[in-house]
């Protein structure tokens, strides 16, 4: 847990886009900062030599989609979303691949 600006951010290791990728979750505010792990519409890019699609899917499924559906997802760039809006699309992302 990292304390910043009066809030406690739980660090979630979410490899896949990069081996050391993390997301920061503040349960009190109901906010998740996902960087390049999860965007509105799916996972971040995994076409680089250090990234891995099955790993990012595991990170998203096991660590992020387990959060409450109303959790706001603030991404590294692009529009925000919620866990509840993204969760139903997991199988589509897997079928799409990358």
């Amino acid at each position: 847990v990292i304390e910043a600006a009066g809030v406690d951010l739980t660090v979630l290791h979410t490899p896949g886009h990069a081996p050391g990728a993390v997301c920061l979750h503040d349960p009190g505010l109901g906010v998740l900062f996902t960087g390049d792990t999860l965007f509105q519409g799916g996972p971040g890019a995994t076409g680089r030599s250090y990234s891995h699609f099955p790993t990012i899917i595991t990170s998203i499924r096991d660590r992020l989609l387990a959060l409450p559906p109303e959790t706001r997802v603030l991404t590294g760039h692009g529009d925000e979303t919620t866990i509840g809006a993204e969760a139903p699309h997991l199988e589509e992302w897997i079928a799409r691949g990358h």
Side-chain angles (χ1 to χ4, degrees):
V1 175
I2 300 171
E3 185 181 336
V7 298
D8 291 331
L9 300 170
T10 301
V11 179
L12 304 172
H13 183 222
T14 54
H17 177 71
V22 298
C23 294
L24 302 174
H25 180 229
D26 183 335
L29 294 176
V31 174
L32 175 68
F33 298 94
T34 60
D36 286 342
T37 298
L38 177 63
F39 294 98
Q40 182 183 57
T46 57
R48 296 170 180 88
S49 61
Y50 54 81
S51 61
H52 189 247
F53 183 73
T55 301
I56 203 169
I57 289 295
T58 298
S59 292
I60 292 169
R61 182 186 57 235
D62 296 351
R63 295 189 182 97
L64 305 186
L65 299 186
L67 298 172
E70 64 275 8
T71 303
R72 290 176 57 205
V73 175
L74 304 178
T75 67
H77 40 92
D79 295 333
E80 73 175 72
T81 186
T82 64
I83 292 296
E86 299 307 316
H89 302 286
L90 178 64
E91 293 305 318
E92 296 169 31
W93 305 335
I94 294 169
R96 180 176 71 201
H98 279 241

